[in-house]
């Protein structure tokens, strides 16, 4: 990397006019001070943690966690300049143990000369666990102030020991106001407005999905092409094509969206559930994975309040298997909406938990002999099956016999709610309980 062992903050170096003119628009618009950083006032403002650290002139090690294009690299560079630290940048993608050793050795030399080092590590989650452990002594003794940048959830990707020594600061995806401000700065830098109608400008902002760098790259393309007439949204879409949603099927965003889908179903919000389902399907999620999760929601959050919920999910799976994409995705949508609009109950889920707990606590108790099978003479001689009442021969088709182990008191695991079909089940159970009580008196 060009700035792998750069000994001075970039802000202190004189700009090369030729290089600046040839640089990408996103690079030319990098903020010159922390006050110029867009969309992260909760961190860089006077009352934010970064603002307070800069005001005090003392930085602690930190992890900057946020989506792409939200200013993580710019903030790290500006922090070094703001408090007079030597700036060194590494990328975990291109660096290894030898690079880290060299950085730490040079940082120790700098400390002896009275200068501390801010070590910026981009994509820090790419370092493995042992490499992350290598930072610990140098962070602890103050050889470096570590500023790591990551798009992934630090609690999943970084060592607990490293996290305990760093403050995790969350950067927000840039909202529409911040992105429009970026476009205004781009127009000022280039010296002319973007060739877009107001509606197309809004559409351009929407395609960025909170990523400032992506937005500026798209804007630069528009400036370079320079159409004679202002583009409307349809013309803009044809020119730039569409941006695929930011989504990684084995990362934190994946689990966040599936959690949002499940909770929207549980909360009976069909529109929110359909939105998150659409987010995942349009981003390339495996439909069968979503069908498995919908089926789980059917048995966990609806259960016997609407037994058809499970049937809908299995039918959706069969339909998708038969039709494939995209036609079969409509069946997934139907199942999702059915679940979100069905009456809710977790009584089956709670019953399972309670029954499993009881089974583990009571061990291998034998059922009462009268309900044991007696296929052999020896078993019949031992009393197996003796006294069993065949329920279909009893009044109302209900004998009221006891079925629990004799060493155990009968327990209640399943307690239906008064919602949906479970209301009828509750009435039925109450009727049986009364008949059982009458016939045991």
């Amino acid at each position: 990397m060009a700035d792998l062992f750069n000994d001075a903050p970039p802000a202190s170096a004189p700009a090369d006019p030729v290089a600046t003119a040839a640089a990408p628009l996103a690079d030319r618009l990098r903020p010159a001070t922390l006050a110029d950083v867009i969309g992260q006032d909760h961190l860089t403002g006077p009352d934010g943690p970064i603002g307070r650290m800069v005001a005090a002139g003392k930085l602690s090690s930190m992890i900057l966690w946020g989506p792409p294009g939200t200013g993580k690299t710019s903030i790290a560079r500006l922090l070094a300049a703001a408090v007079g630290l030597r700036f060194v940048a590494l990328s975990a993608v291109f660096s290894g143990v030898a690079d880290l050793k060299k950085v730490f050795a040079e940082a120790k030399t700098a400390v002896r000369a009275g200068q501390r080092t801010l070590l910026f590590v981009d994509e820090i989650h790419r370092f493995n666990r042992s490499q992350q452990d290598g930072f610990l002594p140098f962070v602890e003794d103050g050889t470096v102030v570590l500023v790591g940048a990551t798009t992934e959830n630090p609690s999943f990707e970084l060592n607990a020991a490293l996290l305990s020594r760093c403050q995790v600061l969350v950067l927000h995806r840039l909202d529409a106001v911040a992105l429009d401000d970026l476009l205004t700065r781009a127009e000022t830098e280039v010296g002319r407005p973007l060739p877009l109608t107001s509606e197309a400008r809004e559409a351009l902002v929407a395609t960025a999905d909170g990523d400032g760098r992506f937005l500026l790259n798209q804007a630069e393309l528009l400036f370079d092409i320079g159409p004679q007439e202002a583009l409307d949204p349809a013309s803009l879409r044809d020119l730039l094509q569409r941006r695929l949603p930011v989504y990684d099927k084995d990362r934190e965003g994946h689990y966040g969206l599936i959690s949002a889908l499940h909770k929207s179903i549980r909360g009976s919000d069909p529109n929110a559930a359909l939105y998150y389902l659409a987010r995942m399907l349009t981003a390339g999620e495996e439909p069968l994975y979503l069908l498995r999760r919908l089926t789980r929601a059917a048995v966990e959050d609806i259960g016997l309040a609407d037994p058809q919920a499970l049937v809908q999910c299995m039918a959706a799976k069969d339909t998708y298997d038969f039709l494939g994409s995209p036609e079969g995705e409509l069946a997934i949508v139907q199942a999702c909406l059915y679940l979100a609009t069905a009456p809710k109950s977790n009584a089956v889920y709670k019953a399972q938990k309670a029954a499993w707990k009881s089974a583990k606590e009571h061990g291998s108790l034998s059922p009462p002999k009268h309900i044991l099978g007696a296929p052999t003479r020896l078993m019949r001689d031992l009393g197996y099956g003796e006294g069993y009442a065949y329920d279909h021969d009893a009044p109302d088709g209900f004998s009221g016999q006891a079925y629990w182990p004799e060493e155990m008191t009968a327990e209640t695991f399943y307690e239906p709610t008064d919602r949906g079909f479970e209301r009828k089940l509750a009435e039925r159970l109450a009727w049986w309980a009364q008949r059982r009580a009458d016939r045991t008196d």
Side-chain angles (χ1 to χ4, degrees):
M1 296 179 63
D3 60 354
L4 190 61
F5 304 116
N6 184 11
D7 289 339
S12 64
D16 180 344
V18 176
T20 299
L25 181 60
D27 196 56
R28 303 201 313 264
L29 287 177
R30 283 191 182 277
T33 67
L34 286 170
D36 296 331
V37 174
I38 289 178
Q40 310 301 337
D41 291 346
H42 64 293
L43 299 178
T44 59
D47 296 326
I50 288 177
R52 290 178 180 274
M53 283 189 276
V54 169
K58 187 174 182 180
L59 298 182
S60 60
S61 291
M62 65 187 78
I63 303 296
L64 302 177
W65 173 29
T70 52
K72 298 183 289 294
T73 303
S74 294
I75 288 175
R77 290 177 178 275
L78 295 171
L79 276 173
V83 296
L85 296 184
R86 173 176 171 267
F87 181 83
V88 177
L90 288 175
S91 169
V93 175
F94 300 110
S95 305
V97 174
D99 298 313
L100 290 174
K101 287 182 177 179
K102 185 174 182 181
V103 168
F104 294 139
E106 293 185 352
K108 282 185 173 293
T109 301
V111 167
R112 288 192 287 271
Q115 187 175 30
R116 296 185 67 202
T117 298
L118 185 152
L119 172 58
F120 173 65
V121 181
D122 196 17
E123 305 275 357
I124 191 171
H125 61 276
R126 302 271 187 176
F127 278 135
N128 61 37
R129 300 287 175 169
S130 61
Q131 288 172 319
Q132 291 177 29
D133 285 340
F135 288 97
L136 299 179
F138 304 101
V139 171
E140 282 187 337
D141 67 11
T143 299
V144 298
V145 174
L146 174 64
V147 178
T150 180
T151 56
E152 306 300 334
N153 190 327
S155 60
F156 296 153
E157 304 295 337
L158 299 184
N159 283 357
L162 184 60
L163 280 178
S164 70
R165 292 161 175 80
C166 299
Q167 186 174 2
V168 176
L169 303 179
V170 180
L171 282 77
H172 296 162
R173 66 189 297 276
L174 301 184
D175 60 21
V177 174
L179 292 170
D180 192 70
D181 191 2
L182 269 182
L183 290 182
T184 301
R185 295 187 186 187
E187 290 170 326
T188 301
E189 169 70 19
V190 175
R192 64 180 189 274
L194 282 163
L196 300 173
T197 65
S198 58
E199 294 82 3
R201 186 185 181 96
E202 291 178 4
L204 179 63
V205 167
T207 65
D209 196 22
D211 185 335
R213 186 188 305 108
F214 176 86
L215 179 68
L216 291 176
N217 289 341
Q218 297 290 74
E220 185 169 27
L221 176 59
L222 289 170
F223 282 128
D224 291 343
I225 295 174
Q228 297 299 313
E229 297 182 358
L231 300 175
D232 60 18
S235 301
L236 177 67
R237 183 177 61 250
D238 292 341
L239 178 64
L240 300 181
Q241 300 301 309
R242 71 181 184 93
R243 185 182 197 215
L244 292 176
V246 176
Y247 185 74
D248 191 333
K249 289 191 282 186
D250 66 351
R251 298 293 182 181
E252 194 260 346
H254 160 83
Y255 297 107
L257 287 181
I258 198 63
S259 176
L261 170 61
H262 195 142
K263 290 180 173 65
S264 298
I265 289 172
R266 181 183 294 151
S268 300
D269 190 330
N271 295 303
L274 184 55
Y275 167 72
Y276 292 118
L277 180 72
R279 284 272 301 273
M280 300 183 81
L281 279 174
T282 58
E285 182 57 79
E286 174 59 48
L288 290 178
Y289 169 77
L290 291 168
L291 282 164
R292 287 193 292 270
R293 289 306 298 254
L294 291 177
T295 304
R296 170 67 187 192
V299 294
E300 178 180 339
D301 296 299
I302 298 167
L304 290 172
D306 186 348
Q308 284 298 313
L310 180 56
V311 176
Q312 284 281 331
C313 289
M314 299 313 296
K317 186 262 183 188
D318 290 342
T319 303
Y320 180 79
D321 284 343
F322 186 57
L323 294 180
S325 291
E327 291 87 350
E329 291 172 5
L330 187 58
I332 303 176
V333 169
Q334 178 175 315
C336 174
L337 293 176
Y338 191 98
L339 299 185
T341 55
K344 302 301 186 296
S345 170
N346 69 341
V348 170
Y349 178 67
K350 291 167 65 177
Q352 183 211 15
K353 293 285 189 184
W356 264 234
K357 181 174 182 288
S358 179
K360 291 176 181 178
E361 289 176 350
H362 290 96
S364 303
L365 299 179
S366 175
K369 284 186 177 181
H370 66 270
I371 62 171
L372 291 176
T376 69
R377 180 174 180 175
L378 173 63
M379 296 172 78
R380 288 193 295 272
D381 291 343
L382 291 174
Y384 283 33
E386 185 177 339
Y388 171 64
Y390 186 58
D391 285 79
H392 296 293
D393 293 337
D396 304 318
F398 178 73
S399 68
Q401 274 197 314
Y403 300 100
W404 288 85
E406 294 177 358
E407 301 90 342
M408 219 182 135
T409 302
E411 298 183 19
T412 300
F413 303 134
Y414 178 55
E415 299 184 68
T417 67
D418 61 355
R419 297 182 291 277
F421 183 64
E422 281 195 328
R423 183 184 298 111
K424 290 186 176 296
L425 295 181
E427 294 172 358
R428 193 178 299 166
L429 288 173
W431 185 87
W432 280 332
Q434 184 61 50
R435 292 299 182 277
R436 184 174 284 111
D438 293 343
R439 291 172 186 176
T440 54
D441 289 343

